[in-house]
């Protein structure tokens, strides 16, 4: 709470012109110079971020909260201290404070100067999104904000997106705006990036009389892929004018937002170097402003993946190279074995399925035929004794064969064979025949001229 009170007192007494504004390159370094007066010479120095003055670096190790990316050096003779930030990222853009405090950690530091740090350029991949972070001064929280391509016009017609007074959010097609009034940074995100979106942009706070602006740059990064061990061609675009006509073209591995001469991998001054070849497109007509030059990288290696800069003087573009690793012989062998096992398994399962179907079909036919047949009983023989003529020897036996009907019925049929009362001398064989009806049978005995016949039916 005490920090906020001190902050408000300071803000009432300062203007936007008193703000220190520094711009640092992406992945590069920025140094902020914080002046102070004689009464703060022997006091501890701090560098903090945001409205609550969250200390991120100090000259006291006990208060050092940040990483090795920040360093504070106090120059008492010059009455200033320097803060160095390295390996800058887009998130480092924002509002900071130079501060000095007493000997005790509990003592609230005095805010000496407001600092706005801007990291350029903003980078995004083709088809992806990129976010501009635009810090602004105290008192502008409720004012209208906008982002322009190039310079903002007084008519405000070239605003890509604009928030009205008191609004913290706005949307227009692929652009969205969000105003963080606490940290005093408004963010604009552009989606669906295209290569032609690259260029200069302006963040603006719209006041009653004019714009309060900060300039930013957007680089849309094209992604190029190449196979390991092969070659890849990277196309670098630039605008042709009198300035670029005699300016060297270069290609370098990204270290920060630009390249020094010693960082060049290849240039138009030395178009062939090691695995890099630079070739300018000189076939275009002089009146055409959009020009290109191509860089060929041979014998691609996995470590070649990364960010590269194409440049013509101060104009530059950025490319992300992805090297696709080739499969090793061992990987190919294992893949081939896996494919062979899968194919063999599929063939075996298909063969087994067909064999099972072949075995099922005959079994079903056999069962059908078996169910359609009428079961035949075993043959039964019975001795029939002649009780009408006791003088006949018992050894004379009549054998009768009963034959089933040619068209059997569902119900069992019983027949009775009756011997003749006036038998002949010698008894022969007799046969029992079933009639066409289900319950009739005929019995015939035959010997010489003696013939008997009887038909019996059980109802």
């Amino acid at each position: 709470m005490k920090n906020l009170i001190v902050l408000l007192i300071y803000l009432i007494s300062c203007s936007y012109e008193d703000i220190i504004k520094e711009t640092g390159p992406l992945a590069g370094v920025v140094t902020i110079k914080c002046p102070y007066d004689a009464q703060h010479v022997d006091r501890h120095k701090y560098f903090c971020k945001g409205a609550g003055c969250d200390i991120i670096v100090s000259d006291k190790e006990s208060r050092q909260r940040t990483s090795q990316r920040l360093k504070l050096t106090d120059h008492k003779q010059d009455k200033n201290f320097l803060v160095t930030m390295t390996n800058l990222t887009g998130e480092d853009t924002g509002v900071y404070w130079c501060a000095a405090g007493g000997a005790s950690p509990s003592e609230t530091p005095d805010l000496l100067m407001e600092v706005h740090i801007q990291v350029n350029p903003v980078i995004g991949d083709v088809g992806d999104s990129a976010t501009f972070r635009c810090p602004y001064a105290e008192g502008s929280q409720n004012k209208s904000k906008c982002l322009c391509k190039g310079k903002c016009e007084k008519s405000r017609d070239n605003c890509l997106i604009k928030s009205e007074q008191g609004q913290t959010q706005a949307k227009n097609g692929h652009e969205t705006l969000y105003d963080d009034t606490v940290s005093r940074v408004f963010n604009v995100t552009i989606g669906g990036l295209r290569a032609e979106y690259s260029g200069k942009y302006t963040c603006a706070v719209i006041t009653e009389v004019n714009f309060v602006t900060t300039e930013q740059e957007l680089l849309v990064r094209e992604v190029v892929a190449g196979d390991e061990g092969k070659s890849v061609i990277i196309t670098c675009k630039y605008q042709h004018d009198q300035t670029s006509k005699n300016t060297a073209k270069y290609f370098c591995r990204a270290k920060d937002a630009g390249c020094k001469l010693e960082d060049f991998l290849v240039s138009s001054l030395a178009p062939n170097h090691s695995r890099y070849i630079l070739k300018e497109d000189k076939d275009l007509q002089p009146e055409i402003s959009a020009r290109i030059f191509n860089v060929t990288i041979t014998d691609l290696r996995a470590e070649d993946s990364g960010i590269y800069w194409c440049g013509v003087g101060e104009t530059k573009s950025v490319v992300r190279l992805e090297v696709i690793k080739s499969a090793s012989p061992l990987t190919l062998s294992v893949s081939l074995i896996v494919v062979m096992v899968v194919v063999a398994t599929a063939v075996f399962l298909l063969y087994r399925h067909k064999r099972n179907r072949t075995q099922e079909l005959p079994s079903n036919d056999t069962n059908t035929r078996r169910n359609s047949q009428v079961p035949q009983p075993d043959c039964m023989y019975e001795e029939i004794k002649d009780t009408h003529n006791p003088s006949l020897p018992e050894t004379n036996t009549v054998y009768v064969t009963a034959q089933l009907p040619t068209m059997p019925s569902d119900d069992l049929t019983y027949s009775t064979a009756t011997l003749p009362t006036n038998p002949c001398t010698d008894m022969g064989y007799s046969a029992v025949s079933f009639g066409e009806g289900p319950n009739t049978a005929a019995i015939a005995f035959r010997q010489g001229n003696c013939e008997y016949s009887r038909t019996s039916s059980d109802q």
Side-chain angles (χ1 to χ4, degrees), residues 355-393:
R355 187 183 68 176
N356 290 341
R357 289 195 61 186
T358 304
Q359 290 177 350
E360 289 174 1
L361 289 175
S363 175
N364 291 336
D365 293 343
T366 302
N367 292 336
T368 303
R369 291 195 298 269
R370 186 176 298 164
N371 293 334
S372 65
Q373 293 177 354
V374 177
Q376 300 291 338
D378 295 336
C379 292
M380 298 180 64
Y381 296 91
E382 181 180 2
E383 289 188 0
I384 303 175
K385 295 184 180 181
D386 188 359
T387 58
H388 298 279
N389 191 359
S391 62
L392 293 176

Side-chain angles (χ1 to χ4, degrees), residues 27 34 120 157 168 206 357 366 406 414 416-417 438:
C34 298
N120 264 326
D157 292 337
T168 58
I206 303 173
R357 289 195 61 186
T366 302
T406 57
Y414 298 92
T416 303

Side-chain angles (χ1 to χ4, degrees), residues 122-132 174 176 188-194 197 218-221:
V122 176
I123 295 180
D125 292 335
V126 171
D128 207 341
S129 62
T131 299
F132 295 89
H174 291 292
T176 57
V188 177
T189 300
I190 301 178
L193 292 176
R194 300 179 183 178
Y197 290 177
L218 172 63
L219 291 179
V220 179
R221 184 168 52 194

Side-chain angles (χ1 to χ4, degrees), residues 114-140:
E114 183 175 347
V115 180
H116 289 184
I117 295 178
Q118 186 74 58
V119 179
N120 264 326
V122 176
I123 295 180
D125 292 335
V126 171
D128 207 341
S129 62
T131 299
F132 295 89
R133 294 173 174 84
C134 309
Y136 57 86
E138 177 64 32
S140 300

Side-chain angles (χ1 to χ4, degrees), residues 120-121 132 147-152 158 160 196-203 214-219 314-316:
N120 264 326
F132 295 89
L147 179 75
C148 309
K149 180 74 181 289
K151 298 287 186 181
C152 286
N158 67 331
L160 297 176
E196 56 267 27
Y197 290 177
S198 294
K200 302 288 185 179
Y201 288 77
T202 303
C203 299
T214 55
E215 292 186 357
Q216 296 200 38
E217 182 181 8
L218 172 63
L219 291 179
E314 295 299 321
T315 304
K316 53 188 175 294

